[in-house]
Amino acid sequence: MMIHEVLSRTGLTRKAVEYYIEQGLICPKAKENGYREFSEADVSRLKAISAYRRLDISVSQIKEILDGNAQTIECALIRHRFTVRRMMKKEELLERLLHGAHADEILPELDALEAGKSIADRLLGAFPGYMGRYFALHFSHFLSSPIENETQLEAYGTIVRWLDELPTLQLPDDLQTFLDEMTADICLEKMEMVQDAVFQASEDPAAYFEMHKDQIRTYMELRETEEYRASPAARLMETMAAFQQQNGYNEVFIPAMERLSSEYAMYRERMQSADEVLQRILQAK
Amino acid sequence: MMIHEVLSRTGLTRKAVEYYIEQGLICPKAKENGYREFSEADVSRLKAISAYRRLDISVSQIKEILDGNAQTIECALIRHRFTVRRMMKKEELLERLLHGAHADEILPELDALEAGKSIADRLLGAFPGYMGRYFALHFSHFLSSPIENETQLEAYGTIVRWLDELPTLQLPDDLQTFLDEMTADICLEKMEMVQDAVFQASEDPAAYFEMHKDQIRTYMELRETEEYRASPAARLMETMAAFQQQNGYNEVFIPAMERLSSEYAMYRERMQSADEVLQRILQAK
DNA sequence: TTGCTCCTCACGTCACGTGAGGTGGC
DNA sequence: TTGCTCCTCACGTCACGTGAGGTGGC
């Protein structure tokens, strides 16, 4: 069909369609007279493109999505969600400005907001698929307090540099497939529920361990078995641990996060004492 | 001071500051050697500019705000709020796409979202200050149902054309000042509460009138007095009514809204029967 | 003289919009 | 021939980013 029909069926403009052709999202054949011949498949692709574009997804990301990269759309969704949250905070800040607040008051909060965004973006890029989403969600939780002193600013710089220099974790194909399959149906809501559960547990670890002692025991026993040690899950954990150790995750990234966010520092402390509690329970067994 | 100090104190880049100078947001003096001399006032202006920019306000709007136009910032806030709401809907739509929905399903909802935006933007521009905000908020309430047929599409076109051709309502200076002063402390929250109260009342007008009959009587009596008729409030109402009548508000805009949104049509019906109830009550008086 | 800051100018970004100027189909 | 569609090319948008190339101050 001719472009005219495509335009009326998709609601796109001629220039938009030409742009998508130029960017390689669709490739209609050129006829002898130079006219382009569009197929039904082109039309349905263009409809999808239109939907994604209007949902604020960039053309290059749409290309990935149409190329069958299912991770991209999850990634886009989480980015979108972070954006909405930031916008809500911005709304608050705008109201404060309207009610006479001075710029000096809100600039540190804007700094924090933008720092949170750039760290979350980098985490999403640095770790493949599910892991990036998990890390981004996890650390975003602590990145809302304003950036008010030099220490925080330096910590932020350290984190950004560390993430920028981090080599991309390239999992062996089988582990990557395993991870993707295991996490395929873990939507954002579930991730958030898990995170909230962890945060809750960190507040009163003894109670948590008491309540879940059977599961914990089962898990601990499982981890001792040969079967588990040979499983992809164990190999995945090992690979991650080795990657983190090689790149100074615990020496550079975590301490910088603690300097950037006092909330995170407190969380880490709670987690460490939780670990001690667990050790005591296990020894008492 | 030199630009270097300005940059370190504001956190802006050289190029950004140069852009704001080019756009006339600040005008530092040029010294003989061509260097620019910035003042303390420039620095605090730049801090405000930085805050507003990072809150997604355009440079031309910031110019208006810095020129002392207090309405602009309210306008920006309401736009921002609408944007957040749209983003939340977009998030839902993106989730549906992720879970396998076809583009055809969500395109009509995107149409409605964008129609809502363009109508709200036009209402904000067409009516001065508070009125624009009130209209935008009021009609946005009804602009969420998907655009699914030709009638709705035509209605949308009619509305957009009507708003684009609408002359800007230029109130006499004293009435404008009166309006601005009366509405200066009506924040969005209050507006929303009022709107919600109206929507509630429209569901069961008899009950509403019964509950507020004393206020209604007082108001009706007030409207009969000479004092009220000579007040700016009455003149404002008259001016608005005349403006609406001259431009076919009830003949073009309202019917198109009814065709675009069945929810709005229902609301109008309820309001009309509410009016009849009120007339009966007043006659029975 | 060296190394630093300052300046202006030009081109790039992203996803198109808006014509201009020319050809093809009926 | 006329009026329509189709094509490519060039320049514009918004708020800067990224150099290039040249000058001023110490």
Side-chain angles (χ1 to χ4, degrees), chain B residues 42-109:
Chain B
D42 289 330
V43 171
S44 72
R45 256 177 107 83
L46 284 169
K47 280 184 185 172
I49 293 168
S50 173
Y52 284 120
R53 273 301 295 135
R54 293 158 81 178
L55 294 171
D56 308 315
I57 297 182
S58 73
V59 168
S60 66
Q61 298 225 34
I62 294 174
K63 206 174 172 185
E64 284 179 35
I65 293 171
L66 294 180
D67 285 352
N69 189 339
Q71 303 282 343
T72 309
I73 186 167
E74 298 242 15
C75 207
L77 181 59
I78 202 169
R79 265 181 230 270
H80 202 281
R81 186 156 311 184
F82 286 148
T83 305
V84 172
R85 289 195 199 156
R86 276 197 306 275
M87 298 272 299
M88 287 165 73
K89 289 226 175 135
K90 285 186 183 179
E91 201 181 300
E92 280 177 41
L93 296 178
L94 196 50
E95 268 176 77
R96 279 165 58 189
L97 276 179
L98 176 64
H99 294 335
H102 195 275
D104 287 311
E105 276 176 56
I106 69 156
L107 286 171
E109 304 203 29

Side-chain angles (χ1 to χ4, degrees), chain A residues 201-229:
Chain A
S202 78
E203 309 252 308
D204 187 356
Y208 177 82
F209 291 140
E210 185 54 32
M211 238 174 83
H212 298 87
K213 63 181 173 188
D214 291 347
Q215 281 120 298
I216 292 170
R217 186 145 306 155
T218 316
Y219 175 67
M220 286 301 181
E221 281 163 12
L222 174 72
R223 280 187 54 170
E224 302 292 307
T225 61
E226 261 317 299
E227 212 180 327
Y228 173 78
R229 286 200 190 140

Side-chain angles (χ1 to χ4, degrees), chain A residues 47 52 54-56 73 77 80-81 83-84 87 90-91 95 97-98 104 107 110-111 114, chain B residues 47 52 54-56 73 77 80-81 83-84 87 90-91 94-95 97-98 104 107 110-111 114:
Chain A
K47 279 184 185 171
Y52 285 120
R54 293 159 79 180
L55 294 171
D56 308 315
I73 184 166
L77 182 58
H80 202 282
R81 186 154 314 186
T83 305
V84 172
M87 298 272 298
K90 284 185 184 181
E91 203 181 300
E95 269 177 75
L97 275 179
L98 176 64
D104 287 313
L107 287 170
L110 281 168
D111 288 337
E114 284 158 28
Chain B
K47 280 184 185 172
Y52 284 120
R54 293 158 81 178
L55 294 171
D56 308 315
I73 186 167
L77 181 59
H80 202 281
R81 186 156 311 184
T83 305
V84 172
M87 298 272 299
K90 285 186 183 179
E91 201 181 300
L94 196 50
E95 268 176 77
L97 276 179
L98 176 64
D104 287 311
L107 286 171
L110 281 168
D111 288 337
E114 284 158 29

Side-chain angles (χ1 to χ4, degrees), chain A residues 141-244:
Chain A
H141 191 266
F142 301 102
L143 294 172
S144 51
S145 43
I147 295 184
E148 282 166 321
N149 55 49
E150 282 302 311
T151 312
Q152 285 178 307
L153 206 60
E154 173 275 330
Y156 169 63
T158 304
I159 291 169
V160 167
R161 254 172 289 126
W162 187 78
L163 285 167
D164 283 343
E165 284 164 20
L166 196 68
T168 31
L169 167 55
Q170 190 61 18
L171 293 175
D173 275 2
D174 60 330
L175 282 189
Q176 184 66 56
T177 313
F178 170 75
L179 179 64
D180 288 349
E181 278 171 13
M182 290 301 291
T183 58
D185 58 343
I186 301 183
C187 60
L188 266 174
E189 277 68 29
K190 277 193 206 167
M191 283 173 63
E192 285 184 325
M193 280 170 55
V194 171
Q195 299 246 357
D196 284 347
V198 172
F199 294 145
Q200 285 281 323
S202 78
E203 309 252 308
D204 187 356
Y208 177 82
F209 291 140
E210 185 54 32
M211 238 174 83
H212 298 87
K213 63 181 173 188
D214 291 347
Q215 281 120 298
I216 292 170
R217 186 145 306 155
T218 316
Y219 175 67
M220 286 301 181
E221 281 163 12
L222 174 72
R223 280 187 54 170
E224 302 292 307
T225 61
E226 261 317 299
E227 212 180 327
Y228 173 78
R229 286 200 190 140
S231 75
R235 278 176 46 225
L236 193 57
M237 297 292 269
E238 275 169 36
T239 312
M240 264 308 278
F243 179 77
Q244 292 184 342

